[in-house]
Amino acid sequence: MTVSLEQLRRCHFAVDLGAARTRIYVKGTGLVVDQPSVAAVNTRTGALIAVGEFAEKMTGRTPDYIKVVRPIAGGTVVDIEMAQRMLRHLLGDKVRRALRRKPRLRAAACAPHDADPLARRATIETLVGLGARRVELVDTLIAAAVGCGMPVERPEATMIMVCGAAATQVAVLSLGSIVTAERIPVGGEAVDHAIVQHLRHQHELMLPTQSVRPLQLALSGNGLTPHGPARTEIHGRDVVTGLARSVHVDTAAVRDAIQTPLTAVLDGIGKVLRDCPPDLVADLADRGIMMVGGSALLPGFDQMLRQATRMPVHIAERPDVCAAQGLGAMLEGRIEPLVLDPLAA
């Protein structure tokens, strides 16, 4: 673990900055913010028009002088000033006033596995701009494992798979630390893009990724499994004429189109298992893989992993907020470290 539990107990709030959604947990209150990481800006005046869900609805529907931006990409802050402005509006005046009353405001934040020092510094600077005097960084894999109730502090192997929008992180944990891990630059956005490109090339239909959720349309029912619906109707814009058009898409062809990004995830899981000690792999044969993150809800994804790895695959009860809940559990002191008593001489 990157920081001690004692340091985390002193923090007053925690932030999970994701490429798709931002979640903020306030100690003693709970999860107060769960909004898309999107902001709309007036380029003429520089004024912030909207943040969160309302700004996301504006994507692709704004005039030239309004720009919809995402200050966070792949779990990394790419625009510190805009991220600070977005977080201030998401928190609201009431919560910000309550936090400012703290004598020495401390914050905790999730950091992607193996994030470079520049990315970590950007996260720290963003929270310092909100008034935090000290910022503690926690690996997203450990926070997600704690949030879904996995016994990470015990000498037992637990395998966690964080399915994010921009990347997928896979790790084997034991004794509160990461034994081996892999970060695959493939997430829900890559799957969306594969479906959009398939519709464009095979059906000459343009489907905006952000304004329409192609997964919910093309992968309804059992989704990736062969038992899903045979055909699905999709609405979009014709590439040639530019007119609105509807087509009936063969879901079997859609499954084939998204095999490429999902195969990269399977390769990452195989690499983690190959680098893992044999004793821990034996534990995983019974416990299997725990899936968390928003993309874990992709219909049929768990069954696909189950068939490829021949291991049990489970989805957390609330996979999208596991990392924020894990940070909250550490802040509230609900996680106790494993105490090893030395043998008497």
Side-chain angles (χ1 to χ4, degrees), residues 288-316:
I289 306 172
M290 177 64 74
M291 297 176 63
V292 301
S295 299
L297 298 174
L298 178 62
F301 192 18
D302 56 333
Q303 185 171 340
M304 177 183 173
L305 292 178
R306 201 174 291 117
Q307 293 174 350
T309 62
R310 298 179 183 177
M311 293 168 56
V313 178
H314 315 282
I315 301 178

Side-chain angles (χ1 to χ4, degrees), residues 161-207:
M161 180 175 171
V162 181
C163 308
T168 301
Q169 303 173 68
V170 186
V172 175
L173 311 176
S174 181
L175 287 173
S177 299
I178 296 174
V179 178
T180 177
E182 186 75 14
R183 188 168 185 263
I184 306 120
V186 172
E189 293 176 353
V191 176
D192 286 0
H193 181 72
I195 297 176
V196 170
Q197 291 302 311
H198 169 75
L199 294 175
R200 183 185 179 94
H201 294 150
Q202 299 297 323
H203 300 277
E204 297 184 345
L205 192 74
M206 291 187 66
L207 190 68

